[in-house]
């Protein structure tokens, strides 16, 4: 789809959840080595790319703790950021704040479970 392996990326979390670890690792290895969003076409559907590619990479990275999948999600999020000009400054600031929090050694005190989920999104886009 759109010249990318979106179906492969979109299926990563399903493979992992179904316990198909051999297939998951094969697909994740490919995504880590070959997936690139450098030449993302201007005609690509932001909605489809966001839910299928970005969502697939983020969920797979979270479940499997594979940092290169998270890196691919960040690369894609950075490319998608131009589709949200109104929010670019806020997302970039939130990403910097999240990085500072991580360097200080944690997510914070109790009651911040929702912030952890948002932080994953910000790390991927900012």
């Amino acid at each position: 789809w759109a010249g990318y392996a979106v179906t492969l990326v979109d299926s990563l979390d399903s493979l992992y959840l179904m316990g198909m670890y051999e297939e998951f690792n094969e697909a994740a290895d490919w995504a880590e080595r070959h997936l690139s969003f450098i030449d993302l076409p201007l005609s690509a559907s932001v909605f489809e790319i966001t839910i299928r590619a970005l969502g697939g990479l983020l969920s797979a990275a979270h479940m499997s703790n594979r940092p290169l999948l998270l890196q691919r999600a960040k690369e894609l999020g950075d490319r998608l950021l131009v589709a949200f000009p109104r929010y670019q400054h806020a997302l970039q600031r939130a990403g910097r704040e999240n990085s500072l929090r991580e360097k200080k050694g944690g997510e914070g005190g109790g009651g911040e479970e929702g912030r952890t989920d948002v932080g994953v999104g910000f790390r991927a886009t900012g």
Side-chain angles (χ1 to χ4, degrees):
W1 187 85
Y4 296 92
V6 175
T7 301
L8 179 135
V9 174
D10 191 18
S11 68
L12 287 171
D13 55 351
S14 296
L15 291 170
Y16 195 89
L17 286 170
M18 292 187 298
M20 300 175 71
Y21 302 117
E22 183 177 332
E23 293 85 352
F24 169 83
N25 285 322
E26 183 178 344
D29 288 345
W30 185 92
E32 290 171 343
R33 285 193 309 271
H34 302 289
L35 195 61
S36 172
F37 298 101
I38 299 289
D39 57 348
L40 188 65
L42 293 175
S43 62
S45 167
V46 172
F47 176 76
E48 289 292 331
I49 294 291
T50 300
I51 64 167
R52 297 184 69 202
L54 186 59
L57 288 167
L58 287 172
S59 61
H62 179 72
M63 287 188 286
S64 66
N65 291 317
R66 290 180 73 140
L68 285 176
L69 291 178
L70 185 58
Q71 179 60 35
R72 294 293 169 264
K74 183 185 179 331
E75 292 166 3
L76 176 57
D78 288 343
R79 299 285 296 161
L80 289 172
L81 194 56
V82 298
F84 305 96
R86 183 175 176 183
Y87 302 102
Q88 284 180 11
H89 179 71
L91 289 171
Q92 289 167 347
R93 185 183 70 238
R96 285 190 302 274
E97 290 171 1
N98 190 48
S99 293
L100 288 174
R101 187 178 326 114
E102 288 176 350
K103 287 178 184 176
K104 290 181 181 179
E107 296 290 335
E112 295 192 58
E113 291 81 7
R115 287 187 65 187
T116 302
D117 291 343
V118 171
V120 170
F122 287 140
R123 263 186 260 129
T125 58

